Amino acid sequence: AKIVDHFEIWKKQYGGWLAPYTDHTVIRVPFMIAIAVNSLMRYYRIRPEERIKTMILEAVDDLVENCLMENGLFYYKELPSLRRLGNNPLVLEALAYAYELTGNTRYLEIGLPTFQMNIKSSGGRGDKEIIGDAVITWSGDGPKRFAQSFHTLAYYYRVAREAGVL
């Protein structure tokens, strides 16, 4: 509950979940906002409170309104020098949670370009190995990419598939 209070204070102080980047600049960082949303949703599942639902939806709406590039993908950071492809799949989980809370498939549809980009990009050698009943591809991205991708892509895929978006 104390952390939820902190998120409320943060939003009131900056008008959104903006990150102080320098002494005179606050910016949106989509993957960090998604981490906050995804964490709050996990707490919401245990302790559903209207204020948490409201914070989640306002944060996701802010991402959708301010962080999409012309090609439908989310940028990395809001600074002009860093307003380039971020492609972080954590945003997909946040979009899926917004759909879960509202039933509005628009959130899932907005995530389609990010989902498609993430499942196409494997990097590395592309070697495959069959281990038991699994096919393992060695992408070369390492454990960080796996940790950021596996749950979010699987969750988004399941939700979008059940909603008829995929």
Side-chain angles (χ1 to χ4, degrees), residues 67-121:
C67 301
L68 281 173
M69 299 186 307
E70 289 179 13
N71 63 2
L73 299 169
F74 290 87
Y75 59 66
Y76 175 57
K77 292 184 179 177
E78 194 170 26
L79 287 172
S81 62
L82 297 172
R83 195 178 287 222
R84 55 181 163 73
L85 177 62
N87 201 32
N88 193 304
L90 293 170
V91 175
L92 293 172
E93 186 177 348
L95 291 167
Y97 290 146
Y99 163 75
E100 185 179 324
L101 293 171
T102 65
N104 187 344
T105 56
R106 177 177 170 265
Y107 292 111
L108 299 172
E109 291 162 358
I110 288 167
L112 286 172
T114 300
F115 179 74
Q116 294 295 334
M117 180 67 75
N118 272 277
I119 62 172
K120 286 180 185 174
S121 64

Side-chain angles (χ1 to χ4, degrees), residues 3-4 7 10-11 16-18 29-45 51-64 67 74 89-101 107 151-152 155:
I3 293 171
V4 174
F7 279 115
W10 179 11
K11 185 172 186 262
W17 289 340
L18 303 169
V29 182
F31 77 91
M32 295 299 288
I33 294 169
I35 289 170
V37 165
N38 299 346
S39 299
L40 279 175
M41 186 62 178
R42 286 176 179 86
Y43 184 75
Y44 178 81
R45 290 189 193 287
R51 72 180 180 139
I52 298 169
K53 178 180 176 179
T54 299
M55 278 193 284
I56 289 169
L57 293 174
E58 287 176 351
V60 173
D61 287 341
D62 184 65
L63 281 174
V64 168
C67 301
F74 290 87
L90 293 170
V91 175
L92 293 172
E93 186 177 348
L95 291 167
Y97 290 146
Y99 163 75
E100 185 179 324
L101 293 171
Y107 292 111
H151 172 75
T152 59
Y155 180 73

Side-chain angles (χ1 to χ4, degrees), residues 99-100 105 108 154-166:
Y99 163 75
E100 185 179 324
T105 56
L108 299 172
Y155 180 73
Y156 174 87
Y157 173 79
R158 182 179 62 82
V159 171
R161 177 110 177 158
E162 288 173 1
V165 173
L166 287 175

